[in-house]
Amino acid sequence: MPLIGIILGSDSDLPKIRNCFETLDEFGVDYEIVVSSAHRSPERTLEWATGAEKRGVRVIIAAAGGAAHLPGVVAAHTSLPVIGIPIETAISGGLDSILSIIQMPAGVPVAAMPAGKAGGANAALFALSVLALADDSLKEKIARFREKNAAKIAERSEKLAALGYRKYIETMK
Ligand code: RP5
């Protein structure tokens, strides 16, 4: 059974958090995905959230946009860690979603990720870090992933030094 459960407020969120699935795929970690809304299908959302732990889910990722109460509603029905991804909207890049997710009143926490591309990737990495507490091989994979990222930064810096900023920018087009 997948250890990560992902719930999306709408299928329109799917392409916006593509990075989340790609990151989990890169780590070879299985996950379940459902579309269920806190307001359009409240009973379905309740059923999914209350059953998650029994199904074997250990960490939940919940993505929603606008009045993004889905992560909070899910967190209200489970004691599993819930990671919220604010979906980008027309309002200041998703400020409405960010504020909805980040401002949980004391008592029912939701971990808030950034909106935009980074949100999906970081939600996946956060979920993997939770699972890595009980999985040394996953911990090792996360360490290698970070080493790879550090090497990429160093490579870019060397390329910048070699080309100069004008040519470097040309290569970015
Ligand atoms: C939220 O409303 C969803 O998470 C989505 O981000 C937003 C818009 O949904 P659609 O109208 O595109 O289905 O519940």
Side-chain angles (χ1 to χ4, degrees), residues 8-13 37 39-40 63-67 87:
L8 313 176
S10 169
D11 59 344
S12 66
D13 299 331
S37 163
H39 44 271
R40 290 171 177 156
I87 296 295

Side-chain angles (χ1 to χ4, degrees), residues 24-172:
L24 294 174
D25 290 344
E26 190 179 334
F27 277 81
V29 172
D30 204 9
Y31 47 89
E32 63 171 38
I33 317 182
V34 297
V35 175
S36 193
S37 163
H39 44 271
R40 290 171 177 156
S41 60
E43 287 84 11
R44 191 162 182 276
T45 299
L46 170 73
E47 202 179 311
W48 184 85
T50 50
E53 192 165 1
K54 275 197 198 122
R55 287 194 304 279
V57 170
R58 289 296 166 261
V59 54
I60 289 175
I61 295 173
H69 35 252
L70 181 64
V73 166
V74 169
H77 293 292
T78 178
S79 56
L80 292 172
V82 176
I83 303 165
I85 310 177
I87 296 295
E88 257 179 358
T89 64
I91 302 175
S92 304
L95 191 58
D96 45 353
S97 321
I98 294 168
L99 294 176
S100 301
I101 291 178
I102 214 167
Q103 292 289 23
M104 282 297 289
V108 180
V110 167
M113 297 296 109
K117 262 168 73 179
N122 277 358
L125 292 168
F126 198 109
L128 292 168
S129 298
V130 172
L131 298 182
L133 290 170
D135 182 339
D136 285 343
S137 83
L138 190 52
K139 199 171 181 175
E140 190 52 41
K141 278 189 191 169
I142 293 170
R144 285 204 299 273
F145 175 88
R146 289 192 176 199
E147 280 164 17
K148 243 168 56 187
N149 272 351
K152 270 189 222 160
I153 299 291
E155 266 169 38
R156 287 172 196 166
S157 183
E158 281 158 24
K159 185 175 153 191
L160 174 61
L163 295 180
Y165 79 88
R166 285 194 186 86
K167 279 192 184 155
Y168 191 101
I169 290 171
E170 283 303 311
T171 70
M172 294 170 86

